[in-house]
Amino acid sequence: MSSLEVIALIVSGVFVGFINTLAGGGTIISLSLFMFMGLPADVANGTNRIAVILQNMTSVTTFRQQKLLDTRKALWLSIPTVIGSIIGAQLSVQIDEATFRRAIAVVMLMMVFFILTKPAKWLKGQEALQLKKVSPLQMLIFFAIGIYGGFVQVGVGYFLLAGIVLGAGYDLVKANAIKVFIVLLYTIFALVVFIVNDKVNWQFGLIHAIGNIMGAYIASRYAVNWGANFIRWFIIVIIFITSADLFGIIDIRGMFS
């Protein structure tokens, strides 16, 4: 591996760690870079999980230090997500990716509507919902999110944020803390599936993770200072960029070719 490739992996990792911690969608950069550097798509998908785990370990630690993480609620929401992620990882090579990508883009754009029309729910949260126990419907929703996250990871943060904010009543800052905790747990199990099936390149994954850790630290450290309003608009911008790529309007992967 050349020094230029090492730099590319680390620098891109900083951006990915930052974006994924505040919202989601940064994984598409990781997958694009890995494939440009010669990894098959399925190996790129598995390799990416190394950085995801390490960046979320960093984020969870920082959020806990700032007392923003509701660990009990995060654990309950993690259970169905972990189960779903194992199934999703096992199905990752059997699903029509082109159709799935477009479906994801539609859902992401629908989320913009909720963010813009009901900002109070995103900015202030709803304490009454936070005090309620996790319902069977929430368990089912997070199970489905886990299947998707285990399958491809790209954009899973949007779905988790929607479930945590609209379903559990947290504002975006606290929801991000729960989100990274859930992603950390389920990705560990998904990575095991990829390792067993020999779909992981450890060299690429660990070097890329260096940048991811740096980006995650920056985002989680300053997210509370920027506040929920900043994160709300940051998410909207990332959703439009990612959706444009999924619809083929722009080509993020082409930037690396």
Side-chain angles (χ1 to χ4, degrees):
M1 184 180 296
S2 68
S3 57
L4 181 61
E5 289 175 321
V6 172
I7 293 173
L9 286 169
I10 294 176
V11 172
S12 65
V14 173
F15 286 102
V16 172
F18 184 88
I19 293 171
N20 281 347
T21 299
L22 286 187
T27 301
I28 195 170
I29 298 174
S30 302
L31 295 179
S32 301
L33 182 62
F34 288 156
M35 288 187 285
F36 170 68
M37 296 177 69
L39 295 186
D42 55 351
V43 177
N45 190 21
T47 301
N48 175 67
R49 310 305 171 115
I50 300 172
V52 171
I53 289 173
L54 294 178
Q55 80 183 31
N56 282 287
M57 287 178 63
T58 303
S59 301
V60 167
T61 300
T62 305
F63 279 130
R64 288 196 66 180
Q65 290 173 347
Q66 298 179 74
K67 302 186 185 305
L68 293 172
L69 177 61
D70 184 341
T71 306
R72 183 175 181 180
K73 183 62 72 71
L75 280 171
W76 274 108
L77 294 175
S78 295
I79 294 172
T81 314
V82 167
I83 296 172
S85 71
I86 296 172
I87 297 173
Q90 293 174 331
L91 296 175
S92 62
V93 296
Q94 302 175 12
I95 299 178
D96 181 353
E97 184 180 354
T99 302
F100 205 36
R101 281 166 59 88
R102 285 168 175 76
I104 298 163
V106 171
V107 173
M108 287 182 179
L109 292 174
M110 289 175 60
M111 286 187 59
V112 174
F113 172 78
F114 288 110
I115 295 173
L116 292 176
T117 57
K118 299 181 180 180
K121 286 189 176 182
W122 292 89
L123 296 175
K124 299 179 181 178
Q126 300 181 80
E127 188 174 352
L129 285 177
Q130 295 177 32
L131 299 175
K132 289 184 177 180
K133 294 181 179 180
V134 176
S135 68
L137 177 59
Q138 285 178 308
M139 298 283 276
L140 181 60
I141 291 172
F142 278 81
F143 171 74
I145 294 174
I147 292 177
Y148 171 72
F151 171 66
V152 72
Q153 187 74 28
V154 177
V156 69
Y158 303 132
F159 302 113
L160 286 172
L161 285 175
I164 297 167
V165 174
L166 299 179
Y170 292 89
D171 64 42
L172 276 179
V173 175
K174 292 182 179 178
N176 264 296
I178 295 176
K179 180 202 73 178
V180 296
F181 182 88
I182 294 173
V183 173
L184 170 61
L185 287 189
Y186 88 66
T187 305
I188 292 173
F189 288 88
L191 177 61
V192 171
V193 175
F194 287 107
I195 292 174
V196 170
N197 289 277
D198 196 24
K199 301 296 183 182
V200 176
N201 184 303
W202 289 98
Q203 184 181 34
F204 278 48
L206 291 173
I207 293 176
H208 188 60
I210 296 173
N212 275 254
I213 292 171
M214 295 168 62
Y217 176 80
I218 294 171
S220 57
R221 173 62 64 180
Y222 296 105
V224 64
N225 296 327
W226 292 328
N229 190 54
F230 169 83
I231 297 175
R232 178 166 68 104
W233 287 105
F234 185 88
I235 290 173
I236 290 174
V237 172
I238 297 301
I239 284 176
F240 277 123
I241 293 174
T242 306
S243 297
D245 177 84
L246 292 169
F247 276 126
I249 298 173
I250 61 175
D251 183 12
I252 294 181
R253 297 182 182 184
M255 297 177 184
F256 297 95
S257 61

